[in-house]
Amino acid sequence: MPDDQRRPELLKTTGLGVHYGGVVAVDGVDLTIGRGELVGLIGPNGAGKTTTVDAISGFTTHSGRVVLDGADLSERSPHERARAGLARTWQSVELFEDLTVRQHCEVAANRAGLFDLFADAVWPKRARERSAVEAALESMELTGVADERPSELPHGTQKLVGVARALAAEPEVLLLDEPAAGLDSAESEHFGHRLRSIVDAGTSALLIDHDTQLVMNVCDCVYVLDFGSVITSGPPEEVRNDPRVIEAYLGVGAERNARKASDPRPEDDTEGGSWR
Ligand code: ATP
């Protein structure tokens, strides 16, 4: 997709690379998220999607550059990147047993920084945090379960708690790692509409999901990873028909078996072979 057809750039990775011993998990990924854009990142199991988010958010050592709104974050720690405006969700949810849904959001909303010192003078911090928390809960339709603990909720709803927690930090860019896993197809479609509204209201986002229907339906631009490299990117209608993408997905069965034999990590229960 030509850059002049994209929105002004907000997040940009250049030559992003991650290796684990001899495994090259991410290999020279150049990826751009425009201001107010919803960008999809898809690819078969083991393609490097989660590792790309790990690298952008600073949770794994990487080569290459990560630049947010002109600021180079490449050498920064995860919490510094979060403070700069990156928020992520986790594939494995990672919620706390002892906290209610609302408390998860309150913890995320409480980001003390220099800006807050000035902002506190004109708008008390508690009121600001409360409004961010309530907005995050509402956007994921969790207000009704805000006082429950995540373990009391279905898995799909727990994933939405992870998204609400990330939103409560009022990020510039939201990095979503399989937020719709555990939702049925109607819930997934509904989630897509909600996500689109969040982006249209000003928060840019990167969406990883194995539900390619969801990604293709809601994203402005889609990147496809295979073996750690971007094989194509562009508007969903172009990417959907790209023979390289079809090949990457249809060839996935044999590849997964080969990886399974060499990768000691347990596989998750998501499917990498679904297409269209
Ligand atoms: P999935 O769709 O199954 O979540 P993915 O596209 O997110 O897959 P990654 O989890 O990023 O892929 O993995 C990319 C490659 O890096 C795989 O070969 C994986 O086995 C390897 N890998 C990821 N994390 C580690 C790790 N901590 N140690 C060793 N290898 C890893």
Side-chain angles (χ1 to χ4, degrees), residues 18-21 23-26 42-54 60 91 177-178 208-210 225 227-228 256 259 262-265 267-268 270-272:
V18 177
H19 65 89
Y20 297 111
V23 176
V24 181
V26 175
I42 62 171
N45 283 123
K49 304 178 297 293
T50 295
T51 309
T52 299
V53 166
D54 289 344
T60 193
Q91 211 176 96
D177 193 356
E178 295 190 25
I208 295 177
D209 215 280
H210 281 289
L225 276 186
F227 296 107
R256 276 179 78 189
R259 279 172 192 263
S262 60
D263 182 358
R265 294 188 321 154
E267 274 198 304
D268 64 20
T270 52
E271 275 304 316

Side-chain angles (χ1 to χ4, degrees), residues 13-263:
T13 72
T14 316
L16 198 69
V18 177
H19 65 89
Y20 297 111
V23 176
V24 181
V26 175
D27 192 8
V29 167
D30 297 339
L31 182 148
T32 302
I33 301 175
R35 212 172 271 282
E37 259 184 359
L38 177 50
V39 173
L41 182 61
I42 62 171
N45 283 123
K49 304 178 297 293
T50 295
T51 309
T52 299
V53 166
D54 289 344
I56 293 173
S57 53
F59 284 89
T60 193
T61 307
H62 65 83
S63 53
R65 319 246 42 102
V66 177
V67 175
L68 176 67
D69 205 10
D72 192 339
L73 306 182
S74 314
E75 307 299 327
R76 307 259 193 99
S77 64
H79 80 269
E80 288 170 325
R81 296 185 198 207
R83 190 165 288 168
L86 294 180
R88 70 169 295 177
T89 66
W90 301 85
Q91 211 176 96
S92 48
V93 194
E94 309 280 354
L95 300 172
F96 299 102
E97 266 296 309
D98 295 343
L99 300 184
T100 65
V101 170
R102 177 177 276 107
Q103 286 167 338
H104 275 89
C105 294
E106 286 171 349
V107 169
N110 185 358
R111 286 190 304 163
L114 198 55
F115 169 78
D116 302 76
L117 291 176
F118 292 110
D120 278 351
V122 288
W123 187 15
K125 190 171 170 185
R126 275 190 181 284
R128 223 173 47 244
E129 284 175 7
R130 201 163 42 237
S131 119
V133 167
E134 295 311 324
L137 290 170
E138 269 168 39
S139 66
M140 288 295 113
E141 296 177 358
L142 292 169
T143 309
V145 295
D147 295 321
E148 295 188 33
R149 289 186 165 69
S151 56
E152 296 158 356
L153 303 170
H155 182 69
T157 312
Q158 291 182 25
K159 304 280 303 195
L160 300 182
V161 175
V163 179
R165 174 173 60 182
L167 276 171
E170 299 182 292
E172 294 282 332
V173 180
L174 191 56
L175 305 164
L176 299 169
D177 193 356
E178 295 190 25
L183 302 181
D184 66 30
S185 53
E187 289 169 332
S188 182
E189 192 182 339
H190 188 54
F191 170 77
H193 293 309
R194 278 180 277 168
L195 180 57
R196 192 66 246 184
S197 317
I198 289 163
V199 171
D200 291 341
T203 306
S204 308
L206 180 73
L207 172 64
I208 295 177
D209 215 280
H210 281 289
D211 183 347
T212 48
Q213 287 269 23
L214 166 70
V215 175
M216 294 292 176
N217 287 343
V218 298
C219 289
D220 300 297
C221 175
V222 177
Y223 286 77
V224 186
L225 276 186
D226 198 18
F227 296 107
S229 299
V230 175
I231 56 170
T232 188
S233 67
E237 57 278 12
E238 276 177 24
V239 166
R240 192 194 297 272
N241 296 314
D242 190 315
R244 289 165 296 186
V245 181
I246 296 166
E247 166 67 27
Y249 271 83
L250 295 182
V252 78
E255 179 211 327
R256 276 179 78 189
N257 291 340
R259 279 172 192 263
K260 227 166 161 180
S262 60
D263 182 358

